[in-house]
């Protein structure tokens, strides 16, 4: 199903669309207030972009520096070319430690690699411990947003879900009761876990340490209780220096939720006594994206989700309509790089309004990249014959003024004289819910000529 | 008064070409007329070259940049000798500036790209006029069309932390009798987006409905914008649902005297 079809289905329930739109707009609004309270916010964005662009240009060096320092700290470092290799590595580490129960804090990378089903196939229990992620896991769904994974679910839906899976009492969607129950349920999982998996927000080349940001403290809870900590990161998570965190932590929290700082920004450097720490560094198509000059800046992304919250299309179509691990504007420029045909509708799910590029804390030119993907998609994937021909025809009409004039005349006459029923009949998608202007007798051109 | 002085001194020693986008030419000629009359009122020596068609945007934004080459070349042919090219469309001006890299960058092409101006931008920043002497005693909501706003930076946008300004707002504020209403979402997209309007029909319509509702909720009688394309989309919804709102391009308001 392409984006437009999925979005049409989502829009069948207008009340839910309104609710979804308002919930995300609220987050965007909070972000505005918090960003506008920082003097020099635009400077901060410039810095963020600059550091990331520099890092991407020197990625090989920084990755090696990071590995060296991490090894010195007593961390084991693994490299994975793709999702499969990543899964195999994680699996083998778990096996080595005979780990059967695993807790995981939020990591879009493990979603991207489909780690959960891979481990579950071998009888390993893997529990997502971020509340939103746990909700979608119980519902057997995927996250619909990278920061707010269950934003598509109402509290009433969560109530029902918890009754079914956690045996909670019906509570009319009382958030306090529901989170309390989730907390009890997750505590038990934390205490009994054999290993903890976390994502990585920032990996610091000059220390070999890394930072994981959560609002629920679930990464810490997992990593501090379990004897094995596996941190999974894409190659683009590197930043050169510890001091650069001062830029990114400020940008991230404000852009994501409007908080001044994420509740837990946890710094990990070396394993505790008697425990093991592993880092898995994953490529999975990132170097390929890095090799595309027009699209490499997409790797600057710090996964704040602001482009989703601001996107008027995302807010009204829901994250699942993108059918991709990362939805929304950033997903629409990343996904075509992975599978052009499958994701060919995504760059068209935009009015090119540019709000995403202006909200992005690292100044990725998202809407320009959407435009560029469109040019590639129409060349490299199969397009409907009617579309190709109509574009050719339009191109021809607009290059020949006399032809343009004639066609314009016919169009105006039709708009004036044909019955509405015909004008708005099925092939005219515009007319389903919108009227067309009534065709004026004179075009501007004709009026101007007669005026003299 | 100021205008009179300028008239006398014949300060505008410049060649100005008027670009009327294809859909305005055919479907909203009144916007073209208002633009021309307004510029003439402001004593601009404005020429409308015949043989214009389109800036090429409909094809290019649909992913068929190659099919837009003919339109781009035609545009350059028509406008390369002007000091300023003025158009009542932020979106088309932006397209010329940003996407005319699809044809070889000759001197003529570079000149055209540099010289193209959206109407409000031209009046405010080239002519340096704020009060055009218009009267329009109505409650007006400004829809800040995205390509003009975030592409040409015709105003500050709510995402960025920059000093607040709005060219269309500054001109409108000087119009006598006008009451500018505040919207809940000051610069949300209307959902037109060219072929997006039909490719993503459901979302496009929903965005438009929400935009209209924001204006209704805040008591607007008229929605104005720098782009007729947005207004065509909103008007289509308004007339279909018989809502008590009108759309007018900013040129039509600035050209009003009653
Ligand atoms: S692209 Fe920018 S705004 Fe979107 S998630 Fe990434 S960093 Fe945030």
């Amino acid at each position: 199903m392409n984006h437009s079809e999925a979005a049409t289905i989502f829009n069948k329930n207008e009340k839910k669309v309104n609710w979804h739109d308002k919930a995300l707009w609220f987050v965007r609004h909070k972000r505005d207030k918090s960003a506008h309270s920082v003097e020099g916010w635009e400077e901060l964005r410039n810095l963020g972009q600059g550091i990331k662009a520099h890092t991407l240009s020197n990625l090989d060096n920084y990755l090696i520096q990071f590995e060296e320092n991490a090894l010195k700290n007593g961390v084991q470092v693994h490299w994975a070319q793709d999702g499969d290799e990543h899964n195999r590595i994680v699996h083998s580490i778990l096996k080595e430690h005979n780990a059967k129960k695993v807790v995981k804090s939020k990591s879009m990378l493990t979603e991207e690699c489909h780690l959960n089903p891979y481990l579950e196939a071998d009888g390993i229990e893997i529990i997502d411990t971020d509340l939103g992620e746990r909700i979608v896991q119980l519902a057997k769904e995927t996250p619909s947003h990278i920061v707010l994974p269950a934003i598509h679910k109402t509290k009433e839906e969560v109530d029902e879900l918890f009754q079914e899976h956690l045996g909670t009492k019906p509570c009319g969607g009382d958030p306090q009761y529901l989170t309390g129950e989730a907390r009890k349920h997750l505590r038990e999982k934390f205490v009994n876990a054999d290993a903890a998996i976390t994502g990585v927000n920032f990996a610091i080349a000059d220390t070999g340490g890394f930072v994981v940001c959560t609002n629920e403290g679930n990464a810490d809870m997992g990593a501090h209780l379990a004897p094995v900590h596996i941190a999974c990161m894409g190659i683009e998570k590197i930043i050169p220096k510890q001091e650069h965190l001062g830029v990114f932590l400020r940008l991230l929290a404000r852009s994501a939720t409007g908080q001044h700082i994420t509740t837990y920004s946890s710094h990990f450097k070396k394993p505790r006594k008697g425990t093991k720490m592993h880092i898995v560094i994953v490529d999975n198509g990132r170097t390929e994206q890095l090799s595309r000059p027009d699209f490499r800046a997409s790797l600057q992304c710090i996964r704040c989700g602001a482009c989703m919250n601001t996107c008027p299309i995302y807010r009204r179509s829901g994250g699942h309509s993108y059918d991709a691990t990362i939805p929304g504007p950033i997903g629409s420029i990343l996904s075509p790089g992975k599978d052009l045909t499958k994701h060919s509708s995504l760059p068209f799910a935009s009015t090119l309004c540019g709000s995403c590029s202006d909200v992005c804390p690292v100044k990725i030119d998202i809407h320009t990249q959407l435009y560029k993907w469109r040019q590639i998609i129409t060349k490299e994937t199969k397009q409907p014959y009617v579309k190709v021909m109509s574009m050719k025809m339009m191109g021809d009409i607009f290059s020949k003024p006399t032809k343009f004039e004639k066609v314009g005349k016919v169009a105006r006459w039709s708009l004036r004289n044909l019955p509405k029923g015909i004008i708005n009949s099925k092939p005219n998608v515009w007319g389903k819910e919108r009227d067309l202007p009534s065709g004026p007798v004179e075009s501007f051109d004709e009026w101007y000529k007669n005026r003299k | 008064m100021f205008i009179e002085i300028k008239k006398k001194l014949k300060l505008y020693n410049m060649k100005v070409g008027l670009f009327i986008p294809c859909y305005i030419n055919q479907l909203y000629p009144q916007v073209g007329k208002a633009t021309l009359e307004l510029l003439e009122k402001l004593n601009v020596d404005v020429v409308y070259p015949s043989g214009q068609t389109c800036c090429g945007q409909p094809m290019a934004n649909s992913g068929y940049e190659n099919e837009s080459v003919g339109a781009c070349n035609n545009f350059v042919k028509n406008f390369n000798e002007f000091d300023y090219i003025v158009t009542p469309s932020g979106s088309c001006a932006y397209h010329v500036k940003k996407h005319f890299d699809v044809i070889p960058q000759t001197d003529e092409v570079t000149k055209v790209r540099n010289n193209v101006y959206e109407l409000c931008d031209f009046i405010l920043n080239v002519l340096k006029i704020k009060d055009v002497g218009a009267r329009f005693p109505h409650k007006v909501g400004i829809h800040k069309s995205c390509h003009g706003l975030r592409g040409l930076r015709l105003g500050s946008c709510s995402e960025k932390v920059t000093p607040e300004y709005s060219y269309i707002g500054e001109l409108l504020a000087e119009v006598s009798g006008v009451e500018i209403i505040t919207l809940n979402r000051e610069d949300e997209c209307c959902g037109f987006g060219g072929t997006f309007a039909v490719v993503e029909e459901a979302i496009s319509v929903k965005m438009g409905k929400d935009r209209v509702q924001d204006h209704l909720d805040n008591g607007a009688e008229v929605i104005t914008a720098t782009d007729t394309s947005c207004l065509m989309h909103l008007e289509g919804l308004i007339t279909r649902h018989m809502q008590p709102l009108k759309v007018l391009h900013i040129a039509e308001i600035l050209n009003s005297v009653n």
Side-chain angles (χ1 to χ4, degrees):
Chain A
M1 203 184 303
N2 66 30
H3 181 272
S4 164
E5 288 159 353
T8 305
I9 295 172
F10 191 76
N11 270 263
K12 292 240 150 74
N13 184 349
E14 190 168 2
K15 250 174 96 182
K16 182 142 188 190
V17 175
N18 288 341
W19 170 79
H20 192 263
D21 167 64
K22 286 209 175 72
L24 288 156
W25 182 258
F26 175 76
V27 184
R28 153 78 211 269
H29 189 65
K30 259 181 81 187
R31 170 264 171 212
D32 288 353
K33 281 212 284 208
S34 147
H36 283 259
S37 73
V38 176
E39 219 178 290
W41 174 257
E42 298 303 323
E43 273 311 301
L44 211 54
R45 286 176 77 222
N46 285 338
L47 272 173
Q49 176 196 28
I51 296 167
K52 278 283 178 180
H54 163 84
T55 312
L56 288 175
S57 302
N58 299 278
L59 202 52
D60 46 351
N61 296 330
Y62 284 125
L63 279 166
I64 290 169
Q65 194 191 351
F66 174 73
E67 181 187 36
E68 278 170 12
N69 287 325
L71 288 173
K72 267 188 231 157
N73 297 336
V75 181
Q76 295 183 49
V77 180
H78 313 258
W79 299 84
Q81 186 111 53
D82 52 25
D84 271 348
E85 193 174 1
H86 161 267
N87 293 347
R88 281 200 303 275
I89 292 170
V90 173
H91 189 204
S92 69
I93 300 170
L94 294 175
K95 270 191 130 156
E96 191 187 308
H97 295 95
N98 202 19
K100 285 277 167 209
K101 289 175 189 254
V102 181
V103 286
K104 192 178 93 191
S105 79
K106 217 170 124 290
S107 146
M108 288 314 293
L109 176 67
T110 57
E111 289 289 336
E112 176 188 321
C113 301
H114 307 293
L115 178 68
N116 288 14
Y118 186 93
L119 295 180
E120 280 160 358
D122 192 36
I124 295 173
E125 179 193 76
I126 178 150
I127 302 290
D128 283 310
T129 58
D130 171 276
L131 178 57
E133 289 244 320
R134 186 66 186 132
I135 291 169
V136 293
Q137 190 181 29
L138 289 175
K140 297 198 171 46
E141 291 175 0
T142 52
S144 69
H145 186 290
I146 59 176
V147 174
L148 312 157
I151 189 68
H152 59 287
K153 287 226 171 300
T154 61
K155 46 190 196 303
E156 289 76 18
E157 288 169 325
V158 176
D159 183 5
E160 275 174 34
L161 194 69
F162 279 13
Q163 287 177 44
E164 187 189 334
H165 293 276
L166 309 183
T168 54
K169 293 193 286 283
C171 66
D174 175 7
Q176 199 166 357
Y177 171 70
L178 290 171
T179 40
E181 290 301 303
R183 195 179 159 101
K184 276 191 228 158
H185 159 73
L186 288 170
R187 289 274 145 137
E188 186 238 274
K189 299 291 177 192
F190 281 126
V191 170
N192 295 314
D194 304 319
I197 297 175
T198 69
V200 168
N201 288 89
F202 304 101
I204 303 129
D206 78 343
T207 67
F210 59 93
V211 173
V212 183
C213 302
T214 73
N215 272 327
E216 296 164 24
N218 53 316
D220 312 72
M221 197 86 91
H224 291 163
L225 286 169
V228 184
H229 176 185
I230 307 170
C232 305
M233 59 175 269
I235 53 170
E236 81 284 16
K237 294 291 174 193
I238 292 276
I239 56 171
K241 291 185 175 149
Q242 177 90 5
E243 68 199 52
H244 294 152
L245 285 171
V247 173
F248 291 110
L249 291 179
R250 293 179 82 196
L251 284 173
L252 176 63
R254 286 181 169 84
S255 300
T257 56
Q259 288 163 271
H260 291 213
I261 188 81
T262 311
T263 314
Y264 298 89
S265 301
S266 308
H267 299 244
F268 296 95
K269 197 164 173 188
K270 49 179 77 166
R272 274 173 292 123
K273 239 196 179 122
T275 69
K276 297 271 188 242
M277 190 183 274
H278 297 260
I279 295 174
V280 189
I281 303 174
V282 187
D283 180 348
N284 203 30
R286 285 163 177 73
T287 44
E288 211 182 332
Q289 187 81 337
L290 192 65
S291 72
R292 302 178 175 115
D294 285 344
F295 303 109
R296 67 181 303 176
S298 61
L299 295 172
Q300 291 169 13
C301 176
I302 58 171
R303 300 286 190 270
C304 71
C307 57
M308 288 155 216
N309 306 337
T310 205
C311 179
I313 287 102
Y314 175 92
R315 274 188 265 115
R316 291 176 182 83
S317 65
H320 289 146
S321 65
Y322 293 80
D323 194 16
T325 307
I326 311 272
I330 179 64
S332 301
I333 59 172
L334 288 171
S335 309
K338 300 216 153 168
D339 185 340
L340 194 66
T341 307
K342 179 179 176 207
H343 300 296
S344 63
S345 70
L346 298 187
F348 293 91
S350 163
T351 57
L352 306 179
C353 76
S355 180
C356 46
S357 304
D358 278 347
V359 90
C360 177
V362 287
K363 296 179 79 167
I364 302 172
D365 55 342
I366 304 174
H367 72 294
T368 305
Q369 295 191 31
L370 289 169
Y371 176 90
K372 288 184 171 159
W373 273 122
R374 291 181 184 188
Q375 311 305 325
I376 292 172
I377 285 162
T378 54
K379 282 196 199 91
E380 294 182 12
T381 70
K382 210 169 160 321
Q383 295 296 309
Y385 179 74
V386 185
K387 191 175 163 194
V388 179
M389 286 324 284
S390 62
M391 286 295 151
K392 264 204 176 0
M393 256 169 58
M394 270 167 79
D396 183 53
I397 293 167
F398 287 139
S399 44
K400 302 195 178 91
T402 39
K403 214 171 198 178
F404 171 67
E405 216 180 298
K406 274 189 208 133
V407 174
K409 224 182 207 130
V410 175
R412 276 183 283 123
W413 183 90
S414 315
L415 283 175
R416 260 196 328 276
N417 294 302
L418 294 182
K420 279 221 159 154
I422 293 186
I423 291 177
N424 293 326
S425 64
K426 222 169 173 197
N428 173 13
V429 181
W430 175 279
K432 234 172 101 187
E433 298 233 21
R434 285 162 293 201
D435 281 351
L436 275 162
S438 45
V441 181
E442 250 183 354
S443 69
F444 176 81
D445 213 76
E446 289 165 345
W447 172 80
Y448 186 81
K449 276 178 193 146
N450 296 335
R451 182 187 187 224
K452 282 193 169 168
Chain B
M1 170 68 175
F2 189 51
I3 298 173
E4 289 305 311
I5 297 170
K6 284 204 170 182
K7 240 182 210 171
K8 275 184 203 144
L9 294 176
K10 283 209 182 356
L11 272 180
Y12 303 144
N13 188 18
M14 53 189 173
K15 272 181 91 175
V16 177
L18 177 64
F19 171 56
I20 299 299
C22 52
Y23 62 96
I24 294 186
N25 194 342
Q26 297 299 336
L27 300 175
Y28 290 89
Q30 66 272 27
V31 174
K33 291 178 209 171
T35 307
L36 181 70
E37 286 170 4
L38 176 64
L39 288 170
E40 287 175 345
K41 248 191 244 173
L42 299 177
N43 202 33
V44 177
D45 183 13
V46 58
V47 177
Y48 170 77
S50 64
Q52 16 183 316
T53 56
C54 166
C55 65
Q57 181 170 196
M59 291 78 75
N61 278 3
S62 308
Y64 292 85
E65 227 175 30
N66 292 343
E67 302 296 348
S68 77
V69 166
C72 299
N73 285 330
N74 187 61
F75 187 96
V76 175
K77 197 174 103 197
N78 279 319
F79 287 105
N80 69 68
E81 35 174 89
F82 292 100
D83 302 320
Y84 294 95
I85 303 152
V86 180
T87 180
S89 164
S91 189
C92 300
Y94 173 62
H95 189 74
V96 173
K97 272 202 187 303
K98 173 137 174 161
H99 294 300
F100 268 35
D101 52 2
V102 69
I103 49 176
Q105 298 303 289
T106 59
D107 290 349
E108 289 179 346
V109 174
T110 317
K111 188 176 168 201
V112 161
R113 290 178 78 181
N114 284 334
N115 292 354
V116 66
Y117 277 78
E118 181 277 329
L119 178 68
C120 297
D121 189 8
F122 179 76
I123 296 175
L124 200 65
N125 299 313
V126 178
L127 302 183
K128 308 233 181 280
I129 295 172
K130 252 191 175 178
D131 184 354
V132 298
R135 179 170 164 73
F136 191 75
H138 297 284
K139 290 184 175 176
V140 179
I142 301 175
H143 169 66
K144 297 178 179 166
S145 302
C146 301
H147 292 176
L149 186 73
R150 300 192 191 82
L152 292 176
R153 304 287 175 201
L154 301 179
S156 52
C157 60
S158 58
E159 296 85 5
K160 290 180 73 168
V161 183
T162 48
E164 272 183 46
Y165 69 100
S166 160
Y167 297 160
I168 182 174
E170 282 169 53
L171 290 176
L172 194 59
E174 299 295 325
V175 172
S176 113
V178 87
E179 186 187 327
I180 302 176
I181 59 125
T182 310
L183 296 165
N184 298 342
R185 298 187 186 179
E186 56 174 304
D187 53 14
E188 173 117 310
C189 177
C190 70
F192 171 67
T195 42
F196 175 88
V198 290
V199 174
E200 289 271 6
E201 193 261 353
I203 303 278
S204 172
V205 165
K206 178 63 180 147
M207 286 166 72
K209 274 167 72 179
D210 290 354
R211 204 69 196 120
V212 169
Q213 198 56 48
D214 197 350
H215 283 80
L216 287 173
D217 289 346
N218 289 290
E221 297 166 71
V222 173
I223 307 180
T224 192
T226 50
D227 267 291
T228 302
S229 48
C230 308
L231 295 174
M232 174 171 76
H233 165 66
L234 297 176
E235 184 179 48
L237 289 162
I238 291 167
T239 46
R240 178 65 60 88
H241 297 111
M242 293 182 287
Q243 287 163 310
L245 257 175
K246 260 185 83 162
V247 302
L248 284 175
H249 187 275
I250 184 64
E252 295 175 275
I253 296 181
L254 297 179
N255 193 43
S256 309
V257 277
N258 52 2

